Amino acid sequence: MRIVDIQSRIVSLPFDMGGPPARFAGKAWTHLDILLVRVETDEGLVGWGEAFGHAGIEATRAALDGIVAPLVLGRSSGDIAELSRSVLHATHLLGRNGAFVFAFSGIETALWDLAGKRAGQPVARLLGGVRERLPAYASLLAYHDPALVRRNVEAACAAGYRHIKLHEVTEAAVAAAAEVTRAHGAALMVDVNCAWSVPAALRMADAFAPHDLLWFEEPVWPPEDTHGLAQVRARGIPIAAGENTAGLFGFKALIEAGAIDVAQPSVTKIGGIGEMLRVITLCEAHGVRPAPHSPYFGPGFIATMHVVAARVEDPLVEVLWLDMEANPFDPWVRAENGHVRLPEGPGLGCDPDPGILDRYRVGDIVRTA
């Protein structure tokens, strides 16, 4: 069960978002970059994980290859909790929320994949779950044009989604979407990615109130302003947050401030599956709905499905609304008729297609052994 080899690689997948490419970190966002982590043990078993990156993927990879992977090499793959304590403590001076935690998240997920393969069971069953098909919501990217918003919301509803999330910051765009979702009997959510000060967020909450949002996501900058977020929540729209929150105690602060109705831990950012399970347990104790953040298309997305299938009473899986040219984890990363299916194999249930990995790989494979 000893870890003898850790590899990192980046795949870059072209996609179409149904409109002009969004701009991210000063560049047109035309490719989905995934930082994959491969962990091998002396048993010959291989597990796969995913570490958060997007535009900062090289920073996460530097943390992974330079510090986190060497800390893990040679350790037992079976004691995931002890590895989490050890590695996250060893790196805490370097940041409790950022590249080093993102890097370990990829390794930790791969360890759960190994645990399931060793037991001959899917991760969801290790966690006590039995669901194999889960409702999903279409998470649209930013179009900044009410006509394009309307067109893509119509397309998502036609594809079977009954929950739609926007990334728009104007009332006109939200109103255009709401007209479509009402006609289709679909729920609408809005994520503004920490766009506003508290006074501005209060004004926008009032502007969005007539559109009956299922939730209003991350309206306040900075995201750690828990009391400001609580002020917006008091306007009456359910508040969702958590993708930028550091671990269990970050969520504890949100809950104690009365800031959220919906908690959104992200498995590729928070430290992996184990920490996400702890957050879900906390939410259960306080009547907060867990709805994990999962706009990914690799092991992070699949791991989220396993956790949601096993541990979330009212499951809803986030799926980015875009059309990929190819994906090494097809077909499990795509929704059908507004639902996703859990892979049936042990561990995460599927390994990547090696041909697609090679075709879309960017740069070298880095090995720590």
Side-chain angles (χ1 to χ4, degrees):
M1 294 168 56
R2 191 169 58 87
I3 297 167
V4 297
D5 185 270
I6 301 169
Q7 297 177 18
S8 71
R9 73 190 74 197
I10 297 170
V11 292
S12 186
L13 310 173
F15 69 84
D16 180 356
M17 61 176 277
R23 296 194 68 79
F24 196 83
K27 298 184 291 185
W29 194 20
T30 60
H31 289 65
L32 189 75
D33 292 342
I34 303 175
L35 177 54
L36 294 173
V37 184
R38 180 186 183 275
V39 177
E40 185 173 351
T41 71
D42 56 5
E43 309 156 278
L45 290 177
V46 170
W48 290 89
E50 176 181 352
F52 182 78
H54 285 338
I57 205 164
E58 292 294 349
T60 302
R61 191 179 197 185
L64 174 66
D65 296 336
I67 293 181
V68 178
L71 286 172
V72 171
L73 193 69
R75 305 283 294 275
S76 169
S77 66
D79 193 347
I80 301 174
E82 171 55 28
L83 263 178
S84 297
R85 286 190 294 269
S86 171
V87 173
L88 294 177
H89 185 268
T91 60
H92 79 278
L93 292 176
L94 306 173
R96 286 287 296 132
N97 190 16
F100 295 92
V101 182
F102 302 167
F104 182 71
S105 299
I107 289 178
E108 199 264 9
T109 299
L111 298 181
W112 279 94
D113 189 23
L114 286 167
K117 287 172 176 173
R118 192 175 293 119
Q121 295 289 333
V123 167
R125 288 195 177 273
L126 293 184
L127 301 177
V130 295
R131 295 187 187 99
E132 296 177 355
R133 186 170 181 266
L134 301 165
Y137 70 86
S139 186
L140 278 60
L141 296 178
Y143 299 98
H144 311 296
D145 177 347
L148 276 176
V149 169
R150 180 187 298 273
R151 188 177 80 188
N152 280 279
V153 172
E154 286 275 14
C157 288
Y161 286 103
R162 288 299 172 263
H163 295 80
I164 312 291
K165 186 167 83 176
L166 307 181
H167 287 83
E168 304 291 337
V169 294
T170 66
E171 195 275 335
V174 174
E179 185 176 338
V180 178
T181 53
R182 278 194 296 269
H184 288 272
L188 182 65
M189 303 91 92
V190 176
D191 180 0
V192 298
N193 295 116
C194 309
W196 300 305
S197 66
V198 172
L202 291 169
R203 290 193 296 271
M204 294 309 297
D206 292 342
F208 291 167
H211 303 304
D212 294 325
L213 300 184
L214 182 64
W215 72 61
F216 187 18
E217 187 170 331
E218 289 196 320
V220 169
W221 173 259
E224 55 270 22
D225 183 0
T226 58
H227 295 288
L229 200 58
Q231 291 180 53
V232 180
R233 182 175 179 241
R235 282 295 207 266
I237 301 177
I239 296 296
E243 69 179 83
N244 294 302
T245 298
L248 177 70
F249 286 92
F251 281 93
K252 183 173 181 284
L254 283 169
I255 291 170
E256 289 179 347
I260 58 171
D261 301 273
V262 180
Q264 299 174 301
S266 176
V267 76
T268 68
K269 300 176 77 173
I270 200 169
I273 289 174
E275 191 72 359
M276 188 148 79
L277 293 171
R278 286 185 278 276
V279 170
I280 290 171
T281 298
L282 177 72
C283 291
E284 291 170 342
H286 290 86
V288 171
R289 177 183 182 177
H293 173 257
S294 62
Y296 314 122
F297 288 96
F301 177 79
I302 296 167
T304 301
M305 286 198 293
H306 280 273
V307 172
V308 169
R311 289 295 309 274
V312 176
E313 181 179 1
D314 187 14
L316 193 57
V317 178
E318 180 176 15
V319 179
L320 271 185
W321 175 252
L322 50 80
D323 184 20
M324 291 172 291
E325 182 175 288
N327 188 289
F329 293 91
D330 272 335
W332 309 107
V333 292
R334 300 181 191 265
E336 295 180 1
N337 196 29
H339 289 74
V340 290
R341 289 186 303 121
L342 217 59
E344 299 173 355
L348 294 182
C350 62
D351 285 343
D353 181 314
I356 295 179
L357 285 184
D358 289 342
R359 180 180 173 188
Y360 291 95
R361 179 166 57 83
V362 175
D364 297 328
I365 297 171
V366 176
R367 182 183 182 196
T368 303

